[in-house]
Amino acid sequence: MSESATGRAHDAVLRHIEDSLRSGELKLGDRLPGERALAEQFGISRASVRDAIRSLEVMGVVRSATGSGPNSGTIVVSDPSSALGVALRMHVASHHLPVKDVVEARIMMETWSLEHAASAAWSPEQLDDARRLLEAMDDDALPSQVFTLLDSQFHVALSTLAGNVVVSTMMESMREAIRGYIDDAVERRGGWAEAVDTLRAQHRGIFEAVEARDGERSARLVREHIEWFYGQAI
């Protein structure tokens, strides 16, 4: 099969999966037909089917597992932040997407999220994830890499309060895209013991403003926090 024919076969499988998801014929948790069945359905090679399935895995649409049992086969999932994170990370690594621009986009989305969270319909219990992460970061024995992981999860947890799934997904993907750069920068610069105390105080202030539903203050504090941190680290 020529390269162009292989590409058309690959695209046909992807379009079929997309149409099936859109129509509701396929839903989260459903299992795709096997390679042989899909190959026969489309009149293409099993290799073309495998290429299409790999593409869907990279996009976070399906998960494949070998063997037998309820978790085997190719199952429809939804993990868009992982797929977007991989794509962003690669483009950041290629220097096509400067870290500075990613940070500016993060500030825009996070300030928007915290401003809108002030009037969103969330309950006090929905702050529990952010509160647990805040308390976990108080551990003086945490390595900087673990702290920055908890830090990014804390910000994502707060952003979800605005109720916009797309913004939360983008926040998650951006943290994945640049976390390695942040860890490297923190290690190069040193002075972590002093910086971590400032970060904890800033996190507390942001959390308290969000809890009080003070959108203007929480947005201002998170902007100052992000700009200060990246000014120190990058």
Side-chain angles (χ1 to χ4, degrees), residues 36-106:
R36 178 179 298 176
L38 286 172
E40 292 175 352
Q41 178 179 350
F42 290 97
I44 61 177
S45 69
R46 293 179 68 173
S48 294
V49 171
R50 281 194 294 273
D51 286 344
I53 297 302
R54 290 192 193 102
S55 296
L56 290 168
E57 284 190 275
V58 171
M59 287 187 276
V61 176
V62 302
R63 182 187 67 244
S64 294
T66 58
S68 59
N71 295 320
S72 64
T74 303
I75 299 172
V76 178
V77 297
S78 181
D79 189 11
S81 63
S82 176
L84 289 170
V86 170
L88 283 174
R89 190 166 66 244
M90 290 298 182
H91 289 296
V92 169
S94 73
H95 304 289
H96 181 69
L97 295 179
V99 172
K100 176 179 177 292
D101 290 0
V102 177
V103 172
E104 288 177 351
R106 176 189 167 184

Side-chain angles (χ1 to χ4, degrees), residues 5 7 32-33 39 47 63 83 101 110 112 133 155 166 175-176 188:
L32 297 186
R63 182 187 67 244
D101 290 0
E110 194 159 354
W112 181 93
L133 290 163
H155 284 270
V166 175
R175 82 172 179 87
E176 282 298 315
R188 284 196 310 271

